[in-house]
Amino acid sequence: MKILVVNCGSSSLKYQLIDMDNESVIAKGLCERIGIEGSKLTHQPSGKDKYVVESPMPDHKVAIQLVMDALQDKEHGVIASVDEISAIGHRVLHGGTTYSESIVVDEDVKRVIRECFDLGPLHNPANLMGIEACEAAMPGKANVAVWDTGFGMAMPEKAYLYAIPYEYYEKYGVRRYGFHGTSHMFVSGEAIKFGGLDPEKAKVIVCHLGNGASISASIGGKCVDTSMGLTPLEGLIMGTRSGDIDAAVVQYICNKENRDVNDVLNILNKKSGVLGISGGVSSDFRDIGAAKEEGNHLAEVALEAFIYRVAKYIGAYTAAMNGVDAIAFTAGVGENDKSTRKAICEYLGYLGVKIDDAANDVRGKNAVISAADSKVKVMLLPTNEELAIARETKRLTE
Ligand code: AMP
């Protein structure tokens, strides 16, 4: 069974064709600059040379057609016909309060994706275009929506309600949703399997630390809290996002700088985080680490603040679950940066967390990095959102 996984942005389309018999990637690729001059498709069949197609892509329909052509290309292709694709799985950002579980797309699902345009203004319209493009290119095949907000929908009211007038939740769905849900679902499941934990009762904290960063607490794979909110702005310090902040800061900067709320929100999303604290060094954690090594004080503080915020959340989530069995690190920083993992865990001595330095000297593969006598199992578990989407698609269409 072959599943095509599609992740559409407003001007991009990422795809992977996955053979579900052995969960291997047959081909993957990226369409860039959709709707803009200079559109390009980069197609990477596994074990073969990269294939680049520079061709106008006025919209996602044309992009998906070029992907179909590449997949079936005589020289660079990996399938003889579209019939080999069983179903298509889509990453969809926001399902609002209607959907938490992945679902086969029908007109009702598309209506909800459309109704959530306000909640996911950059992603939901692109996600819908991707679905409609696949419906046109592969009529009759099932499309499955896997919601990035799905995992967080299991949070109880005490975790998801903001302490603001309840009417805003009722009227507009203003609540905490959480994002990176597919990654948190995948990694918390892997933590239970790889760590040999009780699938019903395991208390797991997943630290998804990349350019976007978020953290979740789950019991038996069910989310009890997660750090992103109505939008991905809340929670941890990120590459360019501030994470948690006193909302009054917005008004204060508006008044001082004579700017409007949209301007300041743009600053909090795109110019803050480690980029902001470091005085503009970089949003990339490798650059921040290198600047720190060169003696840049603000880069050092940015990294310390990032680590401190993660450690504070781990403390809070341990309290939320009245304990923690395992902590898992994932995403760019979590999978590759042993010193950040160690620095976070140094705050957790009170929980009986002990890192094994030799075991922590590892990148990008499943590993237990805690010492044998650590009271909490600490793991590195690479995330794989595409595989998680493919598994959901298989489950719903088999
Ligand atoms: P992601 O958003 O998950 O792709 O993660 C991207 C982030 O991971 C970037 O800020 C990278 O600098 C960071 N990253 C990747 N490798 C390393 C590394 N070896 N050390 C520190 N950060 C890294």
Side-chain angles (χ1 to χ4, degrees), residues 4 6 13 60-68 133-134 137-138:
L4 182 67
V6 172
L13 185 158
H60 289 71
K61 279 203 174 100
V62 177
I64 207 75
Q65 201 48 61
L66 288 169
V67 171
M68 291 297 114
C134 287
M138 291 168 277

Side-chain angles (χ1 to χ4, degrees), residues 5 28 32 68-69 145 149 175 331 372 394:
V5 176
K28 62 181 177 182
E32 295 167 274
M68 291 297 114
D69 294 346
T149 50
R175 55 161 278 173
K394 179 179 178 213

Side-chain angles (χ1 to χ4, degrees), residues 169-184:
Y169 170 62
E170 288 182 303
K171 283 201 278 191
Y172 312 121
V174 177
R175 55 161 278 173
R176 306 185 57 258
Y177 289 91
F179 295 85
H180 291 150
T182 314
S183 176
H184 286 287

Side-chain angles (χ1 to χ4, degrees), residues 180 208-213 239 274 282-289 330-340 363 383 385:
H180 291 150
H208 177 113
L209 309 180
N211 256 331
V274 291
S282 177
S283 62
D284 190 292
F285 282 86
R286 273 168 298 198
D287 298 341
I288 294 285
T330 198
V333 178
E335 290 171 28
N336 293 298
D337 186 0
K338 63 180 177 186
S339 55
T340 295
R363 288 172 75 153
T383 192
E385 292 170 77

Side-chain angles (χ1 to χ4, degrees), residues 334-371:
E335 290 171 28
N336 293 298
D337 186 0
K338 63 180 177 186
S339 55
T340 295
R341 289 194 298 262
K342 184 170 163 84
I344 292 167
C345 290
E346 274 169 0
Y347 280 97
L348 309 175
Y350 71 101
L351 290 174
V353 169
K354 274 194 214 161
I355 291 297
D356 177 329
D357 286 335
N360 187 35
D361 193 6
V362 63
R363 288 172 75 153
K365 62 171 190 185
N366 283 6
V368 174
I369 60 170
S370 48

